[in-house]
Amino acid sequence: METQELETAKEQLDSHIDDTLKDELSSVDLAEHLKTIKKHDETQFAKYLKELDPESLANAALEMPDHMLEDVIEIVPKDKITQGISELESDDQAELLDNISDIDENKAKEFFEELDEKDRADILKIAKYDEDEAGAYMQTEIFSAKGSETLKSAIDRLKILKEKEEIENVFQLFIVDEKNHLKSAIALSDLIIYDFSLTLNEIIEKSNYDYKPHVAIDTENVNDVIQDFDEFDLNVMPVIDANGVLLGRITSDDIHDLIEDRATEQLYNLAGVNDEAEEEETVVKSGKARAAWLFVNLCTAIISSIIIGFFDKTIESVVALAILMPIVASMGGNTGTQALTVTVRRLALGEIEFKDKKRVLFREVAIALVNGMIFATLMGIVAYFWFHIPLLGFVIAASMIINLTLAGFFGTVIPLTLKKLGIDPAVGSSVVLTTFTDIIGFFSFLGLATWVLL
């Protein structure tokens, strides 16, 4: 099976490299095939890195985990990497240099200094923004024209830009004034219906359509931009500064990649797993990354065990308590995880903020309370007929209501608080939540049993 996988990867890469076949692969496929070859044969991996054309190598490098990217900057000649970076779009240039900087800051500076003046200026323009700002995800390559320009002149310029491969995936023509303030945006599919001899201002004046664009301010939170793309079904959005000057554009594929990366990161974080470490695909590195949270979880489990130890006499007197204890803790943990997952997702999508805490808390606690009452009643009846101990059904029912309600509370409060403190709400939330639900579940159940049954 592994041999077949390796042979397929080699065959695909050979077809991509051979100019006569013109069998091009996507950047994701390139990275995956290179990963397969690296796993089986480091020598062949180095060979393919050297044989790939600069642009393909740079595109594949964008999809590589850090350990593979580190190999690239060590194996591939500097001039080839620089050439590859120069052929990327500006947002990808900035992203790749940032990834390289995380590995070797000096190498990143060397590559940056070898780029031409325009590329350096574009990268600096993008790099100045924080990672949560829209400007950090824009590309500066845009198709724009003055309103006084004729449609024929604008289209002719687009042909030249496309022939020189200076711009890709053009969706709209952005119309600006003499000071580069964005005024309108016309979809390319609409341009073909107009007289090419007309100026763009004349087209807008005579048109029955509203060509006012949806825009993103460069310092706007990117979560708001994501929401606009979803709400208005956009394929591109121009980025402007506070004065309305056109700076660049964000495309739907960038938004898709951003959503996918964040979703993956949050899933890993909720589980206490490092996404970069998992990409390493080695038992030692992945194991070490997971061990930290497992150690934290071990400590919290010991705390729960200490709580149980306080009631050892109660458990000795009523053995049924030992059988029912896991049910209370499990139900609380699952309820809390439901609230936690929903809250983290809504925070990530920008649907809620810390200021919405009362509304969000009320909703999640109310849901947890209703479910708590339903399943408490059910479990109370089951416990009574199972063990035939008077009031045991009341004890477990009361404990489940307390634990599930508080689980909903903490499942909401923990991510909201972490977000307020500037910490990723997905990181470690599940471990903290499990601590609360276990301690509350065991303490309430055994405490009530001691008070009611003994």
Side-chain angles (χ1 to χ4, degrees), residues 319-333:
V319 178
L321 297 176
I323 299 173
L324 298 175
M325 269 195 311
I327 297 175
V328 179
S330 176
M331 290 296 292

Side-chain angles (χ1 to χ4, degrees), residues 8-163:
T8 300
K10 288 182 178 180
E11 181 182 334
Q12 292 289 319
L13 285 173
D14 287 335
S15 297
H16 180 88
I17 292 169
D18 190 339
D19 292 334
T20 62
L21 296 177
K22 301 295 183 183
D23 188 9
E24 293 192 5
L25 296 172
S26 70
S27 56
V28 174
D29 287 337
L30 281 171
E32 285 300 317
H33 290 320
L34 287 169
K35 186 186 297 183
T36 298
I37 292 172
K38 175 178 170 59
K39 184 167 60 175
H40 293 89
D41 191 332
E42 290 280 354
T43 303
Q44 286 291 314
F45 172 68
K47 170 180 171 290
Y48 279 110
L49 287 183
K50 294 175 181 178
E51 290 182 351
L52 280 171
D53 65 274
E55 185 176 5
S56 294
L57 179 64
N59 278 307
L62 282 165
E63 306 296 334
M64 293 178 182
D66 284 353
H67 72 285
M68 287 181 65
L69 184 55
E70 186 175 359
D71 290 336
V72 171
I73 61 181
E74 288 180 357
I75 295 171
V76 180
K78 183 174 72 172
D79 58 342
K80 181 175 180 178
I81 295 177
T82 303
Q83 183 183 346
I85 295 173
S86 69
E87 295 182 15
L88 295 174
E89 294 180 330
S90 53
D91 57 334
D92 291 333
Q93 290 178 332
E95 181 183 350
L96 182 53
L97 279 173
D98 185 54
N99 293 343
I100 294 173
S101 180
D102 290 339
I103 298 169
D104 189 329
E105 191 172 345
N106 291 328
K107 285 279 189 181
K109 288 180 180 178
E110 289 178 14
F111 297 140
F112 176 78
E113 290 168 358
E114 291 294 321
L115 296 171
D116 63 37
E117 186 176 346
K118 182 183 180 301
D119 284 339
R120 293 200 305 269
D122 289 341
I123 291 168
L124 289 174
K125 185 186 295 185
I126 296 169
K128 73 178 183 180
Y129 295 101
D130 294 333
E131 64 175 13
D132 62 344
E133 293 180 325
Y137 302 93
M138 69 177 181
Q139 54 186 236
T140 57
E141 296 85 0
I142 50 176
F143 176 38
S144 64
K146 300 291 192 294
S148 57
E149 187 174 0
T150 64
L151 177 55
K152 181 181 184 308
S153 173
I155 294 298
D156 287 343
R157 281 195 301 105
L158 177 60
K159 290 179 181 177
I160 295 173
L161 290 172
K162 292 292 290 182
E163 287 173 359

Side-chain angles (χ1 to χ4, degrees), residues 425-436:
V427 178
S429 291
S430 59
V431 175
V432 177
L433 175 65
T434 301
T435 303
F436 279 110

Side-chain angles (χ1 to χ4, degrees), residues 254-368:
D254 296 321
I255 294 297
H256 176 269
D257 291 343
L258 180 60
I259 292 173
E260 186 175 288
D261 289 344
R262 290 190 170 189
T264 301
E265 183 181 2
Q266 286 178 353
L267 282 172
Y268 278 134
N269 286 339
L270 278 171
V273 176
N274 182 282
D275 56 333
E276 282 293 342
E278 292 307 307
E279 290 287 351
E280 298 284 350
E281 291 190 338
T282 64
V283 173
V284 174
K285 291 183 178 180
S286 294
K288 286 171 67 176
R290 300 184 192 188
W293 283 114
L294 288 174
F295 178 75
V296 173
N297 193 67
L298 175 62
C299 294
T300 60
I302 291 173
I303 294 173
S304 298
S305 296
I306 292 172
I307 296 295
I308 296 173
F310 291 152
F311 299 96
D312 57 341
K313 300 297 182 184
T314 303
I315 296 173
E316 289 177 7
S317 301
V318 186
V319 178
L321 297 176
I323 299 173
L324 298 175
M325 269 195 311
I327 297 175
V328 179
S330 176
M331 290 296 292
N334 287 331
T335 301
T337 299
Q338 290 174 344
L340 176 69
T341 303
V342 170
T343 305
V344 168
R345 178 184 179 277
R346 296 183 70 190
L347 283 169
L349 294 177
E351 295 179 359
I352 57 172
E353 298 178 12
F354 188 78
K355 64 182 180 181
D356 304 310
K357 57 185 180 298
K358 290 184 179 179
R359 173 173 58 84
V360 178
L361 266 174
F362 178 81
R363 178 180 184 275
E364 293 301 327
V365 171
I367 292 173

Side-chain angles (χ1 to χ4, degrees), residues 199-215:
T199 67
L200 296 170
N201 281 337
E202 289 172 338
I203 289 174
I204 293 171
E205 290 171 4
K206 294 180 179 181
S207 174
N208 295 322
Y209 296 101
D210 180 12
Y211 289 119
K212 182 178 180 180
H214 295 283
V215 299

